[in-house]
């Protein structure tokens, strides 16, 4: 018997049992559904007064679309020994080093991982998150200085719907999987969010500032359109 992921339930979608998660949101104005790429399933968001039955009705009305999109998802890239994981857009081989110390680090095109096999995946993820924090924080500081702005702090998150965000208090947040993307993609996403420190909108002034902070807008948006789902399937 198949066991659903925590918080999800298995529901037949176009004849296949699919993990479906219901999320209640006070801010939601209407029922919505989107792919849950982490679980090969669906996330249904319900306004406070909406019923689960109404959410299921929306799912049933779009089950063909959901089934098609789930089938088209790239294969998940597990953080396991022998896997090739991109770092800064360059493939690195996950290589166990059980007799060594130091957790996990990059070395000559490899991600070296110490300790027991049971902890390998977590240690690789921790290594990638650490690299993301270092790289994206440095990029944000440099671009903020160039723009005469200053973020409150920079956070690295495990997000599935946004590559980056800028809160009203000046906190910048980035998806850790950006460290797997080429540098020009990171450059654009960071510039985009830093520009929000000066303009909390997408006005002409915002885009003008973004253009002064990075030359990679068009190239990066194309890359994310073509490769974004694959990037989200890492880990």
């Amino acid at each position: 018997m198949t066991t659903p992921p925590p918080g999800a339930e298995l529901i037949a979608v176009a004849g296949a049992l699919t993990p479906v998660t219901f999320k209640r949101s006070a801010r939601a104005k209407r029922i919505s559904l989107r792919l849950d790429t982490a679980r090969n399933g669906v996330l249904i968001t319900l306004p406070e007064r909406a019923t689960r039955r109404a959410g299921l009705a929306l799912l049933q009305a779009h089950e063909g679309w959901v089934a098609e999109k789930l089938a088209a998802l790239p294969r998940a890239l597990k953080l396991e020994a022998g896997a090739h994981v991109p770092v800064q857009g360059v493939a690195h081989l996950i290589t166990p080093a059980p007799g060594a110390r130091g957790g996990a680090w990059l070395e000559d095109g490899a991600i070296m991982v110490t300790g027991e096999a049971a902890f390998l995946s977590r240690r690789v993820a921790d290594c990638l998150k650490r690299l993301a924090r270092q790289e994206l924080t440095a990029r944000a500081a440099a671009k903020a200085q160039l723009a005469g702005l200053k973020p409150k702090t920079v956070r690295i998150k495990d997000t599935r719907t946004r590559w980056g965000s800028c809160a009203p208090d000046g906190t910048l947040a980035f998806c850790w999987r950006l460290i797997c993307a080429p540098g020009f993609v990171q450059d654009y996403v960071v510039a985009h969010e830093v520009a929000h420190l000066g303009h909390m909108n997408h006005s002409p002034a915002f885009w003008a500032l973004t253009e002064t902070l990075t030359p990679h807008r068009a190239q990066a948006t194309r890359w994310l359109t073509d490769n974004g789902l694959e990037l989200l399937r890492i880990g």
Side-chain angles (χ1 to χ4, degrees):
M1 181 176 179
T2 302
T3 302
E9 55 187 282
L10 293 178
I11 295 175
V13 177
L17 288 178
T18 303
V20 177
T21 304
F22 291 89
K23 175 184 176 183
R24 187 75 60 178
S25 173
R27 295 185 299 176
K29 302 298 184 183
R30 58 184 178 84
I31 302 172
S32 65
L33 65 83
R34 65 175 176 81
L35 296 188
D36 184 348
T37 57
R39 300 181 175 191
N40 291 323
V42 180
L43 173 64
I44 299 177
T45 301
L46 301 172
E48 286 188 320
R49 296 186 179 183
T51 65
R52 177 182 177 279
R53 178 177 295 181
L56 284 174
L58 181 65
L59 175 60
Q60 292 170 356
H62 295 85
E63 64 176 347
W65 176 87
V66 170
E68 179 183 348
K69 293 299 181 182
L70 288 175
L73 282 177
R75 184 177 179 181
L77 177 55
K78 296 181 179 180
L79 302 180
E80 58 188 11
H84 285 85
V85 178
V87 182
Q88 302 278 21
V90 178
H92 284 65
L93 178 67
I94 297 180
T95 306
R101 290 189 174 187
W105 66 92
L106 302 188
E107 181 179 307
D108 298 328
I111 303 176
M112 308 299 297
V113 193
T114 66
E116 299 177 17
F119 304 110
L120 182 143
S121 178
R122 178 178 59 80
R123 290 192 170 186
V124 172
D126 288 345
C127 175
L128 294 173
K129 291 173 184 178
R130 182 178 68 251
L131 294 171
R133 183 173 294 105
Q134 294 169 353
E135 180 68 24
L136 300 175
T137 298
R139 286 182 182 272
K143 292 191 181 298
Q145 183 177 24
L146 184 63
L149 300 167
K150 187 176 182 179
K152 178 181 179 181
T153 189
V154 176
R155 295 177 180 171
I156 302 301
K157 294 187 174 183
D158 187 1
T159 53
R160 297 282 179 173
T161 58
R162 289 185 176 185
W163 299 114
S165 63
C166 177
D169 69 354
T171 296
L172 301 181
F174 300 101
C175 174
W176 68 262
R177 291 173 180 82
L178 279 171
I179 195 61
C180 301
F184 68 85
V185 176
Q186 300 171 36
D187 191 79
Y188 167 68
V189 173
V190 172
H192 185 111
E193 301 308 333
V194 167
H196 276 312
L197 293 172
H199 306 279
M200 288 297 292
N201 50 47
H202 288 99
S203 64
F206 163 81
W207 289 115
L209 178 56
T210 302
E211 295 291 344
T212 68
L213 297 176
T214 179
H216 302 300
R217 176 184 173 187
Q219 183 185 14
T221 52
R222 281 197 303 270
W223 191 94
L224 287 171
T225 297
D226 293 339
N227 303 282
L229 276 179
E230 187 174 350
L231 199 65
L232 288 173
R233 302 284 279 168
I234 296 174

